[in-house]
Amino acid sequence: MANTRPTFEAVFRNVIVPKIMEEVNTTGISKNACDWLQHSILHNTIGGKYNRGMTVPDTYRILKGVDALTEEEYKLSSILGWCTELLQAKFLVADDIMDSSITRRGHPCWYRVNGVGMIAINDSFLLGSAIFLVLKKFFRQESYYVDILELFNETSLQTELGQLLDLITAPEDKVDLNNFNFDKYYFIVRYKTAFYSFYLPVALALYQAGIATPKNLQQAKDVLIPLGEYFQVQDDYLDCYGDPEHIGKIGTDIQDNKCGWLVNKALELVTPEQRALLDANYGRKDAEAEKKVKQLYLELDVERHYKEYEAKAIKEIEALIDKVDESQGLKKAVLTGFLKKIAGRSK
């Protein structure tokens, strides 16, 4: 089977969601609660880019060395892929609340949907719990079942630790740019983004293919964590310089006091006078203050520095991929495919 958005979505709509709802219905919970949960699941998972999820069947096919997967192989690898999308949905629902975000994927954030509000916090928990329900239903008989359970638990912890450092380094109600530095920034992006967005999908495919050796997992991690760092730096750049209609959300990093790449770079470049301007305007819930920060970024030519960083990061990742030993079953094509998806992206 070909891995396309329609075929990937069909697995979710026709296989996973019915299985989740079938299990929930056995509790005897009321119909309106079932309807709410199904609406939440569909609203918060369908419509993304599916980069994480679709990577699992793509990677599994490459590792198997075949042109197309059988229907059953595709179904199972897509289910693993959708578990990564459910994890993403769990994090995004909560993250949007913590960041007071307005839109997600071109629509109102879930907590801003009429009638939802802070119920979204519990909906976030349910999205996470659905992962383990799905894994039990479809993978309990597999030799790698415990491994993927541990992988999801470990990845969740890593992501939550990254989010913790992010939140305490840059609380929205207490702006102190002295807390910011690139060491903290790269820990945050490594743990908050790289592990679950890049390493997790490939590791899942390695387990499904039966070649998840310690060496292969480490080789994958050695490339995918730097790749995830580059992806998040891109995201920070697009938050400020991307077209909101194109990227599907309104950038809020400056007003949210985010410990992002752009502000850390600016802190390296500013004069004392420019630093005073940054201190006075960064992290303020004020459109005029945000404009002043963006104007300062223009004066500091932060965009040029980003472009230089991007070119260097791509070269370094390509060099890491070249070092991969394919004799153990991990193929370079898996990693170059990831890089091609994100290099120079605009959304």
Side-chain angles (χ1 to χ4, degrees):
M1 289 186 67
N3 188 26
T4 65
R5 284 181 65 89
T7 56
F8 187 65
E9 278 194 11
V11 172
F12 191 66
R13 293 182 184 275
N14 302 333
V15 179
I16 296 175
V17 175
K19 185 61 71 174
I20 293 171
M21 299 316 301
E22 175 186 296
E23 183 69 16
V24 170
N25 274 311
T26 65
T27 69
I29 199 169
S30 64
K31 183 179 183 304
N32 67 323
C34 285
D35 291 344
W36 179 289
L37 178 59
Q38 183 163 316
H39 182 205
S40 169
I41 290 170
L42 292 172
H43 178 98
N44 291 303
T45 51
I46 297 294
K49 294 186 285 289
Y50 306 151
N51 285 340
R52 297 162 187 82
M54 292 181 71
T55 291
V56 181
D58 280 342
T59 300
Y60 181 68
R61 181 186 59 77
I62 294 169
L63 294 174
K64 294 285 287 185
V66 296
D67 293 329
L69 298 176
T70 66
E71 187 173 342
E72 183 64 16
E73 286 174 330
Y74 182 76
K75 183 184 84 170
L76 289 176
S77 60
S78 293
I79 290 170
L80 288 174
W82 275 109
C83 286
T84 73
E85 294 292 329
L86 283 165
L87 187 65
Q88 161 83 338
K90 168 192 168 181
F91 291 143
L92 292 185
V93 169
D95 198 49
D96 285 341
I97 297 170
M98 288 182 271
D99 290 348
S100 301
S101 297
I102 299 168
T103 59
R104 171 69 64 184
R105 298 169 178 163
H107 301 286
C109 297
W110 179 240
Y111 80 99
R112 291 178 61 87
V113 170
N114 186 41
V116 177
M118 291 303 104
I119 299 172
I121 296 171
N122 195 62
D123 292 335
S124 172
F125 299 158
L126 285 166
L127 288 164
S129 296
I131 295 166
F132 297 98
L133 187 158
V134 171
L135 292 176
K136 181 180 178 181
K137 290 295 180 182
F138 292 99
F139 294 95
R140 192 177 186 185
Q141 76 283 359
E142 302 293 344
S143 61
Y144 53 84
Y145 176 59
V146 173
D147 292 314
I148 59 176
L149 287 179
E150 291 183 346
L151 180 61
F152 272 102
N153 277 319
E154 180 182 88
T155 305
S156 296
L157 175 61
Q158 289 164 332
T159 308
E160 289 152 9
L161 288 173
Q163 176 74 339
L164 172 62
L165 184 58
D166 191 12
L167 291 169
I168 66 174
T169 298
E172 288 191 50
D173 58 347
K174 187 177 180 182
V175 181
D176 184 358
L177 299 185
N178 291 318
N179 286 334
F180 290 9
N181 59 60
F182 270 120
D183 285 341
K184 285 183 180 177
Y185 173 75
Y186 280 112
F187 182 95
I188 290 167
V189 302
R190 199 174 299 126
Y191 277 75
K192 184 178 174 180
T193 300
F195 282 108
Y196 95 92
S197 296
F198 290 84
Y199 175 67
L200 173 62
V202 173
L204 288 169
L206 287 168
Y207 279 114
Q208 188 186 2
I211 55 172
T213 63
K215 181 176 180 179
N216 276 342
L217 291 168
Q218 188 60 52
Q219 285 193 122
K221 191 177 293 184
D222 288 344
V223 175
L224 293 165
I225 299 309
L227 193 61
E229 292 175 358
Y230 164 47
F231 174 86
Q232 186 57 53
V233 176
Q234 275 184 323
D235 219 45
D236 292 355
Y237 169 78
L238 292 171
D239 184 271
C240 182
Y241 292 99
D243 180 350
E245 290 188 7
H246 196 46
I247 64 177
K249 64 179 180 178
I250 298 168
T252 61
D253 284 3
I254 293 172
Q255 291 196 27
D256 290 344
N257 189 36
K258 281 295 180 182
C259 179
W261 190 90
L262 300 180
V263 70
N264 275 293
K265 177 52 67 174
L267 287 167
E268 288 187 344
L269 301 171
V270 289
T271 65
E273 293 79 10
Q274 290 170 326
R275 171 59 190 265
L277 185 149
L278 198 56
D279 283 331
N281 292 282
Y282 196 80
R284 314 297 171 187
K285 300 292 187 183
D286 181 283
E288 287 303 313
E290 182 182 46
K291 285 181 183 178
K292 289 178 182 177
V293 174
K294 288 186 176 182
Q295 180 58 40
L296 179 59
Y297 287 172
L298 288 174
E299 293 172 14
L300 296 171
D301 208 0
V302 171
E303 187 170 14
R304 176 179 63 81
H305 286 278
Y306 166 75
K307 295 294 185 183
E308 291 173 354
Y309 158 83
E310 181 174 49
K312 181 182 178 185
I314 291 171
K315 285 184 179 179
E316 289 175 349
I317 292 164
E318 287 172 340
L320 289 169
I321 293 172
D322 284 341
K323 293 179 182 178
V324 169
D325 176 10
E326 294 187 311
S327 66
Q328 303 296 310
L330 176 61
K331 298 183 180 179
K332 294 178 183 179
V334 168
L335 306 169
T336 54
F338 240 135
L339 181 57
K340 285 177 183 177
K341 285 180 182 178
I342 68 168
R345 71 189 174 100
S346 59
K347 62 179 181 178

